[in-house]
Amino acid sequence: MLNSSNELAVETRGLVKEFGKLRAVDTLELSVGRDEIYGFLGPNGAGKTTTIRILTGTSRPTSGRALVGGVDIVKDPVGAKRHIGVVSQHINIDADLTVAENLHLHGLLHGMDKPSRLKRIRELLEFADLADRERSLARTLSGGMKRKLTIIRALMHEPRILFLDEPTTGLDAASRRRMWELVRTIHEGGVCVFLTTHYIEEAEALCSRVGIIHKGSIIAEGTPEELIKKSGEYAVDVVDDGRTETSCFPSREAAAEFLESSGHAGRLRPTNLEDLFLQETGRRVHL
Amino acid sequence: MTGVWAILYREAHIYMRRWTKHAAAYAMSPFLFLLVFGWGVGRHVEMEGMTYLQFMLPGLATMSAMTQSYGMATEINIARFYWRIFEEFQMAPVSAWEIVLGEVLYGMVRGTLAAMVVYLMGGFFGTWVLPGPLAITFYLLHAFTFASAAVVAAMIVKSHADQGHINTFFIVPMSFLCGTFFPLERLPVWAEYAARALPLTHSNLAIRAALFGGAIPWGSVLALAAFGAVFFTLGIYLVRRAGV
């Protein structure tokens, strides 16, 4: 439980963002500690990216308050942005600059002097296994390498909070797992990670706490284990007339009994965050 | 000022990587104008007491500077809509004025260099006109105005197609109506008044006077500075509210 503003990396109070009649973020209340990997889980269109855009100062809220690193992002955007690194959903590296030049540019934007930039670039290229591509034009990198470059670029100025907006979208399973390792290592280095994702397994594998967002509001929040238990320990997927119906149960025995009595083909498995989302909203996260 | 240096760092590196393409782009269109209008059509024509080539050369250089400094709008659009690099600037702890100043300084260098290339080409066509410090100062002011306009245009448009419309309805007519190829007085009165409401006219009047020793039209210099100040301020406002 987080109870002091000093411990918070991200805090929102009554945050609202409207686009005309559409309320993309609806009275959002968030409290993310400085030592967390916080997963912001929800389907496409739930309000994840809009929230990130507000928290990173690229969009203004309609109302409410957002503090990043203890600084109000609306009142002092430049001050708040000093604390954060951002990895966008899209790979937004400068294709016409080399790998090192992309990192220099980011360092310059954050006011780093040349010796600090050079030292940090060496460290980060080693960290991401990109040292041999230092002088390559960014356009020549593979998709996975480009993604790694966007991540180390966000770490260039040693931010206290790293926002990762769906960082593994478009990556194959192996690259995704390597990315998770990278995120864990970054977190072990003392960086709070705020991660948006619509991959259930990503939230479960990486996050110390997860907030499930639906229609702009948090509908459930807790550790992955707490949230999974909330929906029950075991789930049964029953296929009936081509449709899969999922039911959750407090014990394996209860789940097995239900499957037997249903008279349909089905699968018994441990519950996951998807089941909770389905229970709370009537729809699946990963559409 | 960190944002200004960062943007200049980016633009300088990309510019140096593509300088041969830029140089060719600076030269191509003015070369065709010099060949067709200066050499072909206007070879034996006199205008305002000088050869047509002498008259046209400053206008052509000014037009080329406008095209190159304003041409940044397309590059900012690509950075914004296609590469999404502009987000990197927006998420950095820099103020909107630093982003605008960085882009405008780059546009000023680019526009002024483009003008100098045209004067060099004029020499190859047998007409040497050497811009002095005052003319170069006016070129910098001219490029400042159009680079600032480029930032405004880039932040207003919603797509590349919109950018093309601005070029068609503002930049191309200005190229032909604002004293580039013939004196303003030859236009119908209504068109002359309309032309005087456009910044390129004031650039042409001020730069020709600085080059050929006429009385400096300070009113035009002030008008150009006012256009520049308005575009620059508007650019800051638009960058600040981008994405809101």
Side-chain angles (χ1 to χ4, degrees):
Chain A
M1 190 67 188
L2 301 158
N3 48 22
S4 162
S5 287
N6 292 333
E7 294 172 22
L8 297 179
V10 176
E11 188 180 7
T12 69
R13 294 290 167 254
L15 198 69
V16 172
K17 177 70 184 181
E18 290 172 344
F19 297 102
K21 288 181 180 170
L22 175 74
R23 187 169 268 215
V25 177
D26 189 5
T27 335
L28 187 72
E29 305 279 334
L30 275 178
S31 297
V32 179
R34 292 184 190 276
D35 57 351
E36 291 191 86
I37 300 183
Y38 185 84
F40 204 39
L41 179 70
N44 292 331
K48 302 188 300 290
T49 297
T50 305
T51 305
I52 288 257
R53 287 178 61 79
I54 294 171
L55 295 174
T56 56
T58 52
S59 181
R60 289 170 75 93
T62 307
S63 61
R65 200 156 174 243
L67 301 177
V68 179
V71 182
D72 191 313
I73 189 75
V74 175
K75 288 183 184 158
D76 182 11
V78 172
K81 286 173 187 175
R82 286 187 214 289
H83 300 299
I84 63 174
V86 187
V87 179
S88 296
Q89 196 172 350
H90 311 279
I91 291 178
N92 62 348
I93 51 173
D94 218 319
D96 292 321
L97 296 180
T98 65
V99 169
E101 285 165 357
N102 267 284
L103 297 172
H104 271 291
L105 172 61
H106 186 91
L108 276 166
L109 282 166
H110 285 79
M112 293 172 73
D113 60 29
K114 195 171 180 182
S116 316
R117 291 200 310 268
L118 289 169
K119 181 172 173 284
R120 187 72 177 146
I121 287 170
R122 270 197 303 275
E123 286 170 5
L124 290 171
L125 290 177
E126 289 293 333
F127 172 68
D129 281 333
L130 286 173
D132 58 334
R133 302 304 298 268
E134 182 178 356
R135 290 168 195 269
S136 303
L137 279 179
R139 67 167 74 251
T140 65
L141 301 181
S142 68
M145 285 176 175
K146 283 178 184 166
R147 182 48 87 187
K148 277 205 260 188
L149 177 56
T150 61
I151 293 175
I152 61 169
R153 183 184 61 180
L155 294 171
M156 181 72 191
H157 60 290
E158 301 188 54
R160 284 152 49 192
I161 307 154
L162 179 65
F163 288 95
L164 295 169
D165 191 6
E166 305 197 2
T168 59
T169 300
L171 295 185
D172 59 46
S175 303
R176 184 173 300 159
R177 284 180 193 284
R178 279 200 295 275
M179 203 58 71
W180 292 355
E181 283 310 311
L182 192 65
V183 172
R184 282 195 194 100
T185 312
I186 290 165
H187 178 247
E188 283 161 15
V191 178
C192 165
V193 178
F194 188 105
L195 171 94
T196 78
T197 183
H198 57 248
Y199 294 122
I200 298 288
E201 68 278 17
E202 188 159 281
E204 288 180 7
L206 269 180
C207 301
S208 48
R209 216 152 55 91
V210 173
I212 297 182
I213 184 170
H214 181 57
K215 293 184 178 171
S217 297
I218 295 284
I219 55 167
E221 195 177 42
T223 65
E225 296 78 21
E226 284 168 359
L227 291 175
I228 290 166
K229 278 187 182 164
K230 204 174 159 189
S231 59
E233 296 276 345
Y234 285 89
V236 174
D237 299 317
V238 173
V239 183
D240 184 11
D241 229 11
R243 283 183 58 208
T244 304
E245 294 286 343
T246 302
S247 307
C248 298
F249 299 90
S251 65
R252 187 182 179 91
E253 292 71 29
E257 195 178 320
F258 171 80
L259 182 57
E260 256 186 54
S261 62
S262 70
H264 293 287
R267 185 170 68 108
L268 194 155
R269 58 172 174 80
T271 50
N272 59 32
L273 286 174
E274 177 93 56
D275 300 318
L276 174 69
F277 192 82
L278 192 63
Q279 276 183 1
E280 298 281 342
T281 68
R283 60 184 286 203
R284 293 188 178 276
V285 176
H286 206 161
L287 298 173
Chain B
M1 288 293 279
T2 54
V4 178
W5 295 122
I7 286 170
L8 287 174
Y9 172 91
R10 171 181 186 262
E11 301 296 1
H13 277 77
I14 294 174
Y15 187 90
M16 293 309 289
R17 203 154 274 140
R18 297 181 184 159
W19 76 268
T20 47
K21 285 182 193 166
H22 279 297
Y26 292 166
M28 191 61 202
S29 167
F31 173 78
L32 291 173
F33 277 115
L34 283 169
L35 194 69
V36 175
F37 292 110
W39 197 255
V41 180
R43 197 172 185 182
H44 303 294
V45 176
E46 276 210 356
M47 199 162 280
E48 295 196 331
M50 59 185 88
T51 66
Y52 183 62
L53 203 55
Q54 275 176 320
F55 175 85
M56 190 182 68
L57 198 61
L60 210 51
T62 309
M63 186 178 83
S64 188
M66 172 185 75
T67 310
Q68 289 302 325
S69 47
Y70 180 80
M72 266 186 6
T74 306
E75 287 168 25
I76 297 174
N77 269 326
I78 293 169
R80 210 176 146 208
F81 296 124
Y82 187 61
W83 296 117
R84 296 175 188 266
I85 298 154
F86 206 74
E87 281 179 6
E88 170 76 350
F89 302 152
Q90 289 177 295
M91 288 171 187
V94 296
S95 302
W97 70 264
E98 294 176 72
I99 297 174
V100 177
L101 184 59
E103 295 291 2
V104 167
L105 284 173
Y106 167 62
M108 287 168 71
V109 172
R110 200 170 129 157
T112 307
L113 278 177
M116 298 309 126
V117 167
V118 174
Y119 286 109
L120 195 65
M121 287 172 62
F124 291 126
F125 280 83
T127 300
W128 287 103
V129 177
L130 295 176
L134 189 59
I136 290 174
T137 306
F138 289 163
Y139 269 114
L140 288 168
L141 179 60
H142 166 70
F144 168 79
T145 300
F146 281 95
S148 301
V151 175
V152 172
M155 300 315 294
I156 286 175
V157 300
K158 304 284 182 213
S159 67
H160 296 311
D162 287 353
Q163 186 64 56
H165 293 142
I166 294 184
N167 293 350
T168 305
F169 290 107
F170 292 97
I171 299 299
V172 173
M174 258 199 287
S175 305
F176 289 98
L177 296 176
C178 294
T180 302
F181 297 103
F182 54 87
L184 281 182
E185 295 74 28
R186 296 197 180 187
L187 286 169
V189 176
W190 65 267
E192 188 185 334
Y193 276 114
R196 283 186 190 277
L198 299 169
L200 184 62
T201 301
H202 299 288
S203 301
N204 275 326
L205 290 171
I207 288 166
R208 278 209 178 92
L211 285 168
F212 298 130
I216 301 296
W218 291 108
S220 281
V221 177
L222 271 176
L224 194 58
F227 272 115
V230 169
F231 288 142
F232 189 79
T233 310
L234 190 57
I236 293 171
Y237 169 75
L238 292 169
V239 167
R240 194 172 289 149
R241 68 182 289 276
V244 167

